[in-house]
């Protein structure tokens, strides 16, 4: 019988004798730990890096030897803050990101958790952990819209269980940061529990002033990706936050944000880069992490520091630098071959020890079993119901009505404008009111509706979208009949975005995965995204990103007005201006 000592000696011997599966030779390796570029060999065994150095002893006849003469090898990129439910899904986006060099995504659980609940979501995370790209998660402490089931779903017990899951790496992003100023007990308890598990607390401190940021930092929030200019980023960095600088389709801020490095000369160890949630068209046109790296290098950031922002910095932030973010023994073998540091789009991608993509082409689709287990095809609405035109009308016995309309001033931000409307036969009349549409948020199971009026969206007959963070159905239009037809078509196709004109479907974008995501590739989604922009632009929608308008209208945290489960809400004053109503349907 072996003694303990003999066993460990044998293991050590085997470790020395083991042979590599893949051996990379001839390349210049970016060492993100020392900041050097070194010519060295890399041996890969299974999913991990086995050896880095001058020796080739680990090569056997079965080893695949790849010669990277004249190439630079860098660690796979990491996006520390991503929302994998923005009409794309984790698989379709994972394939897109991976072919461009992103090998780890820290993902938002919000929509999956809301639609699946805790247990099924944990199974979902497990299923995704077998993919060539690494999906790790941040779990929300609160939703970003009021929900009937919020207290139950986002209970301390449920969230504590989720935080204990090794695939969940942080609590985030806390959109209701004003609650931290009030010392909200549940959120403070959640932060405490997160720290007990040794995990991070991600912030979302959009618009928070310096004094508030002090309180937010003191309450335990450790990062923020919401800076929209260099001054905001600098304030957060100085107050101890890790800052995640963003370039997204909605916010093209990165060049300005990077002035904290190019002008203020700050240290870059606590700086990371993200595309947050960008539209499919943005990824198709520009790319993912490779794109933000290009911007950083173009802005004059030392390339080695730029690469550290998308590799070792996020790995250190999440306490995972022993696993991710660098080319060193024991780490995941996530390695990209580049022409040089000035060309961040990789010529070859190795992820978890396997060659995944060459010249931006994925070698094989991700091995996904299918969506039925997580989004059963008939699960969009639990009830057989249909919308009727009268639901979208606003009734009052008065002759005229002053109504709190929601005015879009950009794709996302709104103002409240109280407007006088004539009532005709007891119903609010939009005739002669150019630029106004009826608006409604209707429960996907037909249980309740909030009515409203929007201006600045353009003039559509009837449009409905299940793509929004309330995961309900948003309807917009001049014609209640067309609005109800659009909602009914969304119900029929189990979720999506539909426009009706002259009684017919004029635009349709099916989103069969929970009404939020499609199962087609990002490239095809980019075409649908473009078609939607063209369709709405012809009807007077004045902005570029309609998907952002839909996603954020039912929120509970953006100024000034939102439409959600509570009603038409004045966010700044936390006041319901027009109540939702129950439906008998
Ligand atoms: Fe975000």
């Amino acid at each position: 019988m072996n003694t303990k000592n003999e066993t460990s000696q044998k293991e050590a011997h085997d470790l020395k004798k083991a042979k590599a599966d893949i051996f990379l030779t001839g390349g210049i390796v970016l060492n993100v730990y020392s900041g050097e570029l070194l010519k060295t060999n890399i041996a890969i065994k299974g999913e991990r890096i086995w050896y880095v150095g001058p020796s080739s002893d680990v090569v056997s006849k079965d080893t695949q030897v790849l010669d990277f003469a004249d190439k630079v090898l860098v660690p796979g990129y990491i996006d520390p803050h991503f929302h994998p439910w923005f009409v794309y899904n984790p698989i379709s986006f994972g394939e897109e990101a991976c072919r461009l060099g992103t090998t780890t995504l820290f993902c938002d659980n919000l929509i999956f958790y809301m639609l699946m609940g805790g247990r099924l979501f944990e199974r979902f995370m497990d299923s995704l952990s077998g993919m060539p790209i690494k999906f790790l998660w941040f779990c929300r402490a609160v939703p970003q819209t009021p929900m009937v089931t919020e207290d139950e779903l986002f209970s301390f017990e449920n969230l504590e269980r989720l935080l204990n899951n090794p695939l969940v790496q942080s609590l985030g992003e806390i959109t209701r940061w004003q609650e931290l100023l009030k010392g909200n007990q549940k959120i403070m308890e959640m932060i405490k529990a997160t720290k007990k598990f040794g995990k991070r607390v991600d912030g979302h401190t959009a618009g928070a002033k310096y004094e508030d940021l002090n309180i937010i930092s003191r309450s335990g929030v450790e990062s923020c990706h919401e800076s929209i200019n260099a001054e905001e980023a600098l304030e957060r960095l100085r107050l101890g936050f890790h800052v995640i600088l963003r370039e997204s389709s909605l916010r093209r801020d990165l060049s300005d944000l990077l002035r904290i490095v190019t002008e203020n000369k700050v240290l870059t160890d606590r700086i990371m880069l993200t595309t947050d949630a960008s539209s499919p068209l943005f990824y198709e046109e520009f790319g993912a992490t490779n794109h933000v790296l290009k911007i950083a290098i173009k802005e004059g950031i030392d390339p080695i520091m730029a690469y550290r922002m998308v590799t070792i910095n996020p790995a250190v932030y999440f306490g995972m630098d022993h696993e991710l973010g660098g080319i060193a023994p024991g780490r995941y073998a996530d390695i990209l071959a580049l022409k040089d540091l000035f060309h961040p789009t990789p010529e070859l991608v190795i992820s978890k020890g396997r060659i995944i993509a060459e010249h931006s082409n994925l070698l094989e689709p991700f091995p996904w079993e299918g969506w039925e287990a997580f989004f059963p095809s008939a699960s969009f609405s639990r009830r057989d119901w249909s919308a009727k035109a009268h639901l979208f009308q606003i009734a009052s016995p008065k002759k005229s009505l002053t109504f709190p309309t929601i005015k879009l001033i950009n794709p996302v931000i709104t103002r409240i404008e109280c407007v006088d409307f004539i009532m005709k036969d007891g119903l609010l009349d939009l005739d002669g009111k150019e630029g106004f549409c009826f608006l409604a948020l209707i429960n996907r199971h037909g249980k309740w509706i909030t009515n409203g009026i929007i201006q600045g969206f353009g003039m559509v007959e009837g449009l409905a979208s299940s793509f929004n963070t309330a995961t309900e159905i948003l309807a917009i239009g001049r014609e209640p009949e067309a609005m109800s037809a659009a909602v009914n078509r969304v119900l029929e196709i189990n979720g999506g975005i539909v426009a009706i004109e002259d009684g017919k479907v004029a635009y349709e974008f099916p989103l069969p995965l929970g009404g939020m995501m499609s199962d087609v590739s990002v490239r095809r989604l980019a075409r649908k995204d473009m078609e939607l922009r063209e369709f709405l632009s012809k009807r007077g929608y004045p902005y570029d990103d309609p998907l952002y308008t839909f996603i954020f209208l039912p929120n509970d945290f953006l100024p000034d007005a939102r439409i959600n489960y509570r009603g038409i809400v004045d966010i700044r004053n936390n006041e319901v201006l027009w109540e939702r109503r129950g439906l008998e349907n």
Side-chain angles (χ1 to χ4, degrees), residues 267-287:
L267 300 177
T268 60
D269 288 8
R270 288 163 82 90
I271 298 177
M272 300 172 260
L273 307 179
T274 186
T275 58
D276 204 350
S278 289
S279 62
L281 202 56
F282 175 92
Y283 292 113
E284 169 76 359
E285 214 175 331
F286 302 112

Side-chain angles (χ1 to χ4, degrees), residues 81 83 138 140 173 204 225-226 246 276-277:
H81 181 90
H83 305 273
F138 56 93
R140 299 281 191 123
E173 49 184 320
H204 180 289
H225 65 285
E226 286 292 331
R246 173 174 59 192
D276 204 350

Side-chain angles (χ1 to χ4, degrees), residues 122 158-168 197 199:
E122 288 197 77
N158 283 353
L159 294 179
E160 195 183 33
R161 182 191 152 93
L162 210 50
L163 279 165
N164 198 17
N165 187 307
L167 293 167
V168 173
F197 291 123
K199 296 181 179 178

Side-chain angles (χ1 to χ4, degrees), residues 105-362:
L105 290 167
F106 285 85
C107 295
D108 177 15
N109 77 333
L110 179 68
I111 297 302
F112 305 110
Y113 187 65
M114 283 170 69
L115 293 175
M116 294 176 185
R119 300 293 165 122
L120 186 57
F121 172 64
E122 288 197 77
R123 288 212 292 282
F124 183 60
M125 286 195 293
D126 277 345
S127 303
L128 287 172
S129 65
M131 293 298 120
I133 195 170
K134 282 170 291 308
F135 293 104
L136 295 160
W137 297 85
F138 56 93
C139 78
R140 299 281 191 123
V142 288
Q144 58 184 54
T145 187
M147 287 173 70
V148 196
T149 54
E150 175 176 332
D151 288 344
E152 194 188 321
L153 184 62
F154 289 82
S155 70
F156 182 83
E157 292 68 30
N158 283 353
L159 294 179
E160 195 183 33
R161 182 191 152 93
L162 210 50
L163 279 165
N164 198 17
N165 187 307
L167 293 167
V168 173
Q169 288 301 321
S170 65
L171 178 72
E173 49 184 320
I174 303 175
T175 46
R176 295 181 193 166
W177 58 262
Q178 283 86 350
E179 289 299 313
L180 295 168
L181 308 183
K182 297 179 207 155
N184 179 305
Q185 214 186 335
K186 186 201 142 196
I187 300 181
M188 295 309 291
E189 288 296 318
M190 282 313 311
I191 292 178
K192 227 194 273 171
T194 308
K195 304 231 167 172
K196 196 179 78 196
F197 291 123
K199 296 181 179 178
R200 290 291 193 181
V201 179
D202 304 336
H204 180 289
T205 65
K209 298 284 174 268
Y210 189 81
E211 301 303 318
D212 293 338
L213 289 168
N214 261 275
I215 302 170
I216 297 167
S217 176
R218 199 160 66 223
S219 66
V221 173
E222 298 167 287
S223 70
C224 179
H225 65 285
E226 286 292 331
S227 302
I228 56 170
N229 56 49
E231 292 66 35
E232 287 191 357
L234 200 55
E235 283 182 346
R236 284 156 177 76
L237 190 65
R238 286 173 177 163
L239 285 170
F241 292 90
H242 293 253
V243 292
I244 305 174
L245 306 184
R246 173 174 59 192
E247 175 82 359
S248 70
S249 52
L250 184 67
R251 302 278 344 173
R252 310 280 172 104
D253 296 329
L254 188 56
S255 292
D256 184 46
L257 292 164
L258 285 167
R259 288 196 295 111
I260 64 171
V261 184
T262 53
E263 291 177 17
N264 296 86
K265 310 287 180 204
V266 299
L267 300 177
T268 60
D269 288 8
R270 288 163 82 90
I271 298 177
M272 300 172 260
L273 307 179
T274 186
T275 58
D276 204 350
S278 289
S279 62
L281 202 56
F282 175 92
Y283 292 113
E284 169 76 359
E285 214 175 331
F286 302 112
T289 314
N290 58 328
H291 174 57
V292 290
L293 259 175
K294 271 184 213 164
I295 295 174
I297 294 166
K298 189 176 120 266
E299 291 301 326
I301 307 294
D302 172 349
I304 292 181
M305 293 304 142
Y307 280 88
R308 293 184 87 241
M309 290 176 191
V310 298
T311 56
I312 191 67
N313 292 4
V316 168
Y317 172 67
F318 287 107
M320 297 190 73
D321 50 314
H322 58 300
E323 302 258 36
L324 303 170
I327 297 176
R331 275 65 171 181
Y332 277 103
D334 301 336
I335 300 168
L336 314 177
L338 311 181
K339 184 175 169 221
D340 56 47
L341 286 186
F342 295 93
H343 293 83
T345 306
E347 293 181 358
L348 183 126
V349 178
I350 297 174
S351 184
K352 288 188 184 172
R354 288 182 48 219
I355 301 171
I356 298 298
E358 276 178 297
H359 300 289
S360 305
N361 293 312
L362 209 60

Side-chain angles (χ1 to χ4, degrees), residues 534-548:
E534 286 169 359
F535 178 86
L536 288 178
S537 145
K538 281 184 194 146
R539 284 144 188 89
Y541 177 80
Y543 310 110
D544 270 348
D545 244 339
L547 291 174
Y548 270 99

